[in-house]
């Protein structure tokens, strides 16, 4: 939402909005000249002609109710994203359960390096672009979020499907419904790029495939890892090109890079320019981001909140950690934890030094079956904590020189970990 607000402000619209509390993001919007209200109240929409809301907004939200009563135009975030994207000649939409943000940013760097005319709407904070980059109208690159079927409201020129892991089952109910949604997303586009290693590849028409499989149109050869970072030689339609060196951590980023490279290949850009764009990418905030040190221990934050993402983050941490590994995980929503409970237990049960932090509920109400406490009780190796104070106490007593503390989750655990670090430093 904040990226779209910035875009509309740059295009000359009078933009205002509200959030439940002040944050770094609301402060950023204010610096951009956008009026931001703290809290949701009816009077916040006075003077508005159009009201935009995301899928997390409840039907009884006071601003939404006031907009209906006033007969204002009400637009969903996904519909607005589709409208905004039409300002550009070519719309590239990136979908998948894992890697959307990183791949969208990688793709933005590739297309900017190749075409120098790009607008990018990114779900996280790219080190160079932020979450909204406005640099031309030849290409529009965006994440296509599958939550509540929102990605089906987009009509991209090029759809990219990274993977189709099980998630958001509170909405889709069955894996078949989820798979069908991805197939519909692909069919809504003029052309489609699909991961050949994913189960969707056998069901979906693909104009270009990517993956580690040698049968892929775009794949990686001679993969080399060093300290958690990887390089590889790009293979396109059987031809092998120069080595690409990624500047981000994690083997999983090879697939993300291949997807972004496939976009460049689809638009017939030279491989050296695609390579340059990928190597220009320096990372995303909260994607294996180093956030500080305490008592000689390195703190790294990652957005991982799905079992598959947690597994990838743990693999990367074990590659890079020199001493002991400590993990702090915050479950994101009760429904995801409940529906994927056994998968969460399986991926976390091998972690020796594990803290489970209270659930980030997002849009949901308490559900004991999917709570962080219930998850912790199923992991005898874990400690459950509910506050920054408890977290700080555990860290003070536990971590030391050479250790790595991996902070996992998509909720407020990022801020909690930073506050804990601040408290620990103030005690020194």
């Amino acid at each position: 939402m904040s990226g779209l607000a910035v875009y509309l402000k740059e295009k000359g619209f009078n933009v205002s909005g509200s959030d439940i509390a002040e944050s770094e993001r609301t402060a950023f919007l204010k610096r951009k000249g956008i009026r931001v209200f703290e809290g949701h109240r009816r009077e916040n929409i006075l003077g508005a002609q159009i009201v935009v809301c995301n899928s997390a907004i409840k039907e009884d939200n006071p601003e939404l109710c006031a907009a209906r009563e006033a007969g204002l135009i009400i637009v969903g975030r996904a519909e607005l994203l589709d409208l905004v994207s039409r300002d550009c000649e070519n719309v590239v939409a990136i979908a998948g359960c894992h890697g959307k943000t990183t791949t969208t940013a990688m793709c933005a760097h590739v297309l900017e390096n190749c075409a120098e005319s790009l607008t990018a709407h990114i779900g996280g904070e790219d080190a160079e672009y932020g979450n909204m980059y406005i640099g031309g109208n030849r290409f529009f690159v965006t994440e296509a979020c599958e939550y509540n079927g929102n990605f089906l409201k987009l009509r991209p020129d090029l759809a990219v499907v990274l993977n189709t892991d099980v998630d958001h089952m509170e909405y889709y109910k069955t894996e078949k419904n989820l798979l069908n949604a991805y197939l519909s997303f692909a069919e809504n586009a003029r052309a489609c790029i699909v991961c050949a290693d994913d189960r969707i590849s056998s069901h979906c028409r693909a104009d270009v495939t990517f993956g580690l499989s040698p049968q892929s149109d775009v794949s990686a050869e001679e993969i080399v890892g060093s300290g958690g970072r990887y390089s590889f030689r790009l293979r396109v339609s059987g031809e092998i090109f120069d080595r690409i060196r990624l500047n981000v951590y994690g083997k999983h980023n090879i697939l993300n890079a291949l997807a972004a490279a496939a976009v460049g290949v689809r638009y017939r850009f030279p491989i050296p320019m695609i390579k340059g764009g990928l190597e220009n990418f320096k990372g995303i905030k909260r994607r294996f981001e180093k956030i500080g040190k305490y008592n000689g221990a390195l703190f790294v934050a990652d957005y991982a909140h799905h079992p598959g993402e947690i597994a990838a983050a743990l693999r990367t941490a074990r590659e890079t950690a020199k001493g002991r590994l400590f993990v702090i995980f915050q479950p994101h929503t009760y429904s995801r934890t409940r529906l994927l409970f056994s998968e969460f237990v399986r991926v976390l049960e091998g972690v020796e030094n594990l803290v489970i932090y209270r659930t980030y509920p997002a849009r949901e109400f308490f559900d004991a079956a999917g709570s962080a406490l219930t998850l912790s009780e199923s992991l005898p190796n874990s400690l459950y904590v509910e506050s920054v104070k408890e977290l700080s106490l555990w860290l003070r007593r536990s971590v030391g020189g050479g250790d790595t503390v991996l902070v996992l989750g998509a909720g407020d655990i990022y801020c909690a970990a930073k506050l804990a670090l601040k408290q620990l430093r103030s005690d020194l």
Side-chain angles (χ1 to χ4, degrees), residues 135-318:
N137 68 349
R138 182 176 175 188
F139 290 99
F140 186 92
V141 180
T142 184
E143 290 187 33
C145 179
E146 74 275 21
Y147 173 65
N148 274 15
N150 285 330
F151 63 168
L152 299 180
K153 296 168 184 174
L154 297 174
R155 294 294 183 272
D157 297 285
L158 180 60
V160 180
V161 181
L162 303 174
N163 43 66
T164 57
D165 207 349
V166 176
D167 201 8
H168 301 300
M169 299 310 291
E170 77 284 0
Y171 173 76
Y172 288 103
K173 308 302 181 186
T174 68
E175 290 188 43
K176 183 178 180 181
N177 290 340
L178 177 63
L179 184 61
N180 285 338
Y182 277 104
L183 292 173
S184 296
F185 167 72
E187 289 299 322
N188 286 342
R190 294 180 183 176
C192 188
I193 292 173
V194 175
C195 180
D197 304 337
D198 191 84
R199 59 179 177 164
I200 198 175
S201 62
S202 62
H203 303 281
C204 183
R205 55 107 177 167
D207 297 272
V208 179
T209 60
F210 71 94
L212 298 180
S213 164
Q215 284 73 43
S216 306
D217 297 320
V218 179
S219 61
E221 297 281 339
E222 301 175 27
I223 296 171
V224 176
S226 178
R229 291 183 178 181
Y230 286 81
S231 69
F232 59 91
R233 296 186 69 183
L234 190 65
R235 179 180 175 274
V236 180
S237 300
E239 186 176 356
I240 299 176
F241 294 88
D242 289 344
R243 183 165 293 277
I244 294 173
R245 292 173 173 82
L246 301 180
N247 289 303
V248 287
Y249 291 97
K251 193 172 184 179
H252 56 280
N253 278 313
I254 295 174
L255 275 175
N256 295 334
L258 291 175
V263 173
V265 168
R266 171 66 186 175
Y267 285 107
R268 303 192 179 195
F269 288 120
I271 300 300
M273 297 183 76
I274 294 171
K275 165 185 160 71
L278 289 172
E279 293 184 340
N280 288 341
F281 175 64
K282 299 301 188 295
I284 296 282
K285 188 176 182 179
R286 292 186 75 169
R287 270 63 174 186
F288 219 78
E289 177 195 1
K290 296 176 182 178
I291 60 172
K293 285 188 173 183
Y294 167 72
N295 197 28
L298 175 65
F299 284 66
V300 177
D302 196 275
Y303 201 70
H305 56 286
H306 182 282
E309 296 163 354
I310 294 169
L314 288 173
R315 281 194 299 270
T316 303
R318 286 166 178 149

